[in-house]
Amino acid sequence: MAYRLPARHQEVNWREFTLWSILFFGIYLFYPFSFLVGDRSYIPLTDFPYLPDAITTRLLAIVPLILTDFIVVYMSERYILLAKGERPTALLYITALTLTQPELTFLRGCSLLLMTLILFTSFGEEGRSEAPFPYFTTGLMIGILCLVHPIYLLVVLCVLTTQYFVRTLTPRNVLAVLLGIALPAWILSPLLFVLWYQGGLDAYLIYVWGLIEGLLPIRFPFISGISIAYALFIVGLFALGSLLYMGRYQREKVRSRGMIVSLQVSCLLLFTFVAIFSPCTPELLVIIITPLSLLLGKGFGELRPRPARIVRTISLLILLGMTLAQAYYITFS
């Protein structure tokens, strides 16, 4: 039987993370994509005094990604979710999948950052099932996400399933989540009067109605805004991470096992939402990135360094090829 290195004994391969990150950052910043993140269509108000150039807006959009990477390293150590040898893999997939989003904007980058915080705060505190304050914070961040796009309200289902698997699903914690969701809308409601006074309320209502209208059509299996090949690639990564983790499931502590299972269920829920609410595919695929990458980091910890490096290289080359093909088609079609 072949010897398999435990995850805590695997090397921390930051060199591979650095080389691939530089490649994906370079392609994102200097290769033409279909949507530039400074497009006026993403701004709900009619009058916007300054619209920066493409490079500036793309640099602005990757600021939340960099913060997300730092949060994953800090929170993984706090919750003992990823070993040191597994963190570079998770960060690598977060970076690669985020930078290859065809419609990456600053707001969607912020949704990635908030989704990462939501995932970790929804794990709660170890040994304390009655701890409503962290879940109030979770609900507050979901409420802020809902101000960006109403589709993010579906994240509540992911949080509730996480509470169930880590055994913190209590009425007080659920109530704390709901109160946190309602707070941002209640605080910002006076802004509607300001918009009405300045004559911008109609434009804002049209923008909100456009977002809500995008939730109504159910087009299965059509996927709008992104290629079917890219979506299938994301599903394949999820299957790979889940398959690699299966051999480790029985050796995990109950709490760690619950956290990983909650990541798997969150990915499955979000995949289902993509199939149902296909016009919101770009928004949903962005928030899938963090749970999927954490699952991949945990799964690759079961492989020895050399096979793990080969599998990572193949998957990243496929992702890179699809990105370049899509950019080439959009540019020269």
Side-chain angles (χ1 to χ4, degrees), residues 49 80 98 108 131 134 137 163 186 199 210 214 225 240 276 287 308:
I80 320 177
T98 303
R108 287 172 186 159
T137 306
Q163 290 183 1
W186 181 74
L240 175 64
I276 298 175
I287 61 176

Side-chain angles (χ1 to χ4, degrees), residues 112-131:
L112 170 72
L113 176 62
L114 287 174
M115 184 62 182
T116 304
L117 291 170
I118 288 168
L119 281 174
F120 283 107
T121 55
S122 63
F123 292 147
E125 298 183 6
E126 188 171 3
R128 295 182 59 187
S129 59
E130 291 288 344

Side-chain angles (χ1 to χ4, degrees), residues 1-261:
M1 183 176 181
Y3 175 70
R4 179 174 292 171
L5 281 172
R8 61 180 180 274
H9 293 155
Q10 288 198 15
E11 59 180 2
V12 182
N13 197 351
W14 289 110
R15 182 186 304 173
E16 181 186 10
F17 167 76
T18 304
L19 293 176
W20 278 108
S21 297
I22 291 174
L23 177 61
F24 279 101
F25 271 111
I27 291 175
Y28 172 73
L29 290 175
F30 303 111
Y31 207 87
F33 278 74
S34 57
F35 282 82
L36 298 181
V37 292
D39 190 8
R40 289 183 184 271
S41 62
Y42 292 105
I43 302 170
L45 301 180
T46 54
D47 298 324
F48 192 71
Y50 173 64
L51 192 62
D53 57 80
I55 295 296
T56 303
T57 49
R58 290 181 184 182
L59 286 172
L60 185 65
I62 63 178
V63 171
L65 169 62
I66 297 173
L67 295 176
T68 300
D69 288 342
F70 281 109
I71 288 172
V72 168
V73 172
Y74 172 74
M75 291 292 192
S76 296
E77 186 172 355
R78 178 182 176 183
Y79 287 93
I80 320 177
L81 181 62
L82 296 177
K84 288 185 177 180
E86 298 167 346
R87 291 170 198 167
T89 299
L91 296 181
L92 177 58
Y93 279 100
I94 289 176
T95 302
L97 292 173
T98 303
L99 294 177
T100 52
Q101 290 289 317
E103 301 180 26
L104 179 63
T105 65
F106 176 73
L107 289 180
R108 287 172 186 159
C110 291
S111 69
L112 170 72
L113 176 62
L114 287 174
M115 184 62 182
T116 304
L117 291 170
I118 288 168
L119 281 174
F120 283 107
T121 55
S122 63
F123 292 147
E125 298 183 6
E126 188 171 3
R128 295 182 59 187
S129 59
E130 291 288 344
F133 182 74
Y135 293 110
F136 176 79
T137 306
T138 302
L140 184 63
M141 289 185 288
I142 296 175
I144 295 173
L145 274 179
C146 293
L147 295 178
V148 177
H149 199 291
I151 194 66
Y152 292 127
L153 188 61
L154 297 173
V155 177
V156 177
L157 298 178
C158 300
V159 171
L160 294 179
T161 56
T162 300
Q163 290 183 1
Y164 173 77
F165 285 111
V166 298
R167 303 181 180 183
T168 58
L169 185 62
T170 63
R172 289 182 61 187
N173 293 341
V174 174
L175 181 61
V177 172
L178 297 178
L179 290 176
I181 293 173
L183 185 61
W186 181 74
I187 293 176
L188 296 177
S189 56
L191 291 179
L192 294 177
F193 294 98
V194 176
L195 292 174
W196 174 78
Y197 180 76
Q198 294 183 349
L201 183 59
D202 292 340
Y204 181 75
L205 292 178
I206 292 173
Y207 169 75
V208 173
W209 174 247
L211 295 179
I212 296 175
E213 195 176 26
L215 302 177
L216 300 180
I218 299 179
R219 310 171 188 171
F220 183 81
F222 175 72
I223 299 177
S224 62
I226 198 168
S227 65
I228 295 179
Y230 185 87
L232 292 177
F233 175 74
I234 299 294
V235 175
L237 287 180
F238 168 74
L240 175 64
S242 300
L243 183 64
L244 293 176
Y245 180 72
M246 286 178 58
R248 186 175 180 174
Y249 180 80
Q250 297 297 333
R251 303 196 305 269
E252 293 276 19
K253 295 193 304 183
V254 174
R255 177 173 170 79
S256 298
R257 189 185 305 172
M259 288 190 288
I260 299 300
V261 172

